[in-house]
Short mmCIF file of all heavy atoms in Angstrom, two decimals:
data_model
loop_
_atom_site.label_atom_id
_atom_site.label_comp_id
_atom_site.label_asym_id
_atom_site.label_seq_id
_atom_site.Cartn_x
_atom_site.Cartn_y
_atom_site.Cartn_z
N ALA A 29 25.20 47.00 11.01
CA ALA A 29 24.79 45.61 11.44
C ALA A 29 23.54 45.62 12.19
O ALA A 29 22.75 44.70 12.07
CB ALA A 29 25.99 45.06 12.29
N ALA A 30 23.38 46.58 13.17
CA ALA A 30 22.13 46.70 13.82
C ALA A 30 20.95 46.96 12.95
O ALA A 30 19.76 46.47 13.37
CB ALA A 30 22.18 47.76 15.01
N ALA A 31 21.15 47.69 11.91
CA ALA A 31 20.07 48.01 11.02
C ALA A 31 19.70 46.83 10.06
O ALA A 31 18.71 46.79 9.48
CB ALA A 31 20.33 49.26 10.29
N ALA A 32 20.71 45.88 9.94
CA ALA A 32 20.42 44.74 9.02
C ALA A 32 19.24 43.99 9.48
O ALA A 32 19.01 43.79 10.57
CB ALA A 32 21.61 43.96 8.89
N PRO A 33 18.48 43.36 8.42
CA PRO A 33 17.26 42.69 8.81
C PRO A 33 17.72 41.35 9.53
O PRO A 33 18.77 40.83 9.25
CB PRO A 33 16.66 42.29 7.50
CG PRO A 33 17.79 42.48 6.47
CD PRO A 33 18.52 43.60 7.03
N ALA A 34 16.93 41.04 10.55
CA ALA A 34 17.26 39.75 11.37
C ALA A 34 16.70 38.53 10.61
O ALA A 34 15.96 38.64 9.69
CB ALA A 34 16.46 39.78 12.72
N PRO A 35 17.34 37.40 10.86
CA PRO A 35 16.92 36.16 10.20
C PRO A 35 15.43 35.99 10.39
O PRO A 35 14.81 36.34 11.33
CB PRO A 35 17.71 35.08 10.99
CG PRO A 35 18.93 35.75 11.59
CD PRO A 35 18.32 37.16 11.93
N ARG A 36 14.83 35.30 9.33
CA ARG A 36 13.38 35.10 9.37
C ARG A 36 13.03 33.68 9.60
O ARG A 36 12.88 32.88 8.56
CB ARG A 36 12.86 35.59 7.96
CG ARG A 36 13.22 37.10 7.77
CD ARG A 36 12.65 37.54 6.44
NE ARG A 36 11.24 37.37 6.29
CZ ARG A 36 10.43 37.63 5.24
NH1 ARG A 36 11.12 38.05 4.13
NH2 ARG A 36 9.22 37.51 5.19
N PRO A 37 13.01 33.34 10.84
CA PRO A 37 12.55 31.85 11.18
C PRO A 37 11.31 31.46 10.60
O PRO A 37 11.07 30.29 10.32
CB PRO A 37 12.68 31.79 12.70
CG PRO A 37 12.51 33.21 13.12
CD PRO A 37 13.09 34.05 12.11
N ALA A 38 10.31 32.34 10.53
CA ALA A 38 9.02 32.02 9.96
C ALA A 38 9.11 31.60 8.58
O ALA A 38 8.36 30.61 8.23
CB ALA A 38 8.07 33.30 10.22
N ALA A 39 9.98 32.16 7.71
CA ALA A 39 10.05 31.81 6.36
C ALA A 39 10.74 30.55 6.24
O ALA A 39 10.34 29.61 5.43
CB ALA A 39 10.97 32.88 5.61
N ALA A 40 11.71 30.16 7.14
CA ALA A 40 12.32 28.81 7.08
C ALA A 40 11.26 27.78 7.59
O ALA A 40 11.18 26.60 7.02
CB ALA A 40 13.42 28.76 8.18
N GLY A 41 10.45 28.16 8.52
CA GLY A 41 9.40 27.17 8.89
C GLY A 41 8.33 26.98 7.90
O GLY A 41 7.85 25.76 7.60
N THR A 42 8.17 27.96 7.07
CA THR A 42 7.12 27.77 5.90
C THR A 42 7.74 26.91 4.87
O THR A 42 7.01 26.03 4.32
CB THR A 42 6.81 29.21 5.26
OG1 THR A 42 6.23 29.98 6.19
CG2 THR A 42 5.94 29.02 4.15
N LEU A 43 8.98 27.03 4.58
CA LEU A 43 9.67 26.24 3.68
C LEU A 43 9.81 24.84 4.01
O LEU A 43 9.50 23.85 3.27
CB LEU A 43 11.10 26.74 3.38
CG LEU A 43 11.98 25.93 2.32
CD1 LEU A 43 11.30 26.06 1.00
CD2 LEU A 43 13.42 26.57 2.37
#
Side-chain angles (χ1 to χ4, degrees):
R36 301 177 63 185
T42 300
L43 181 61

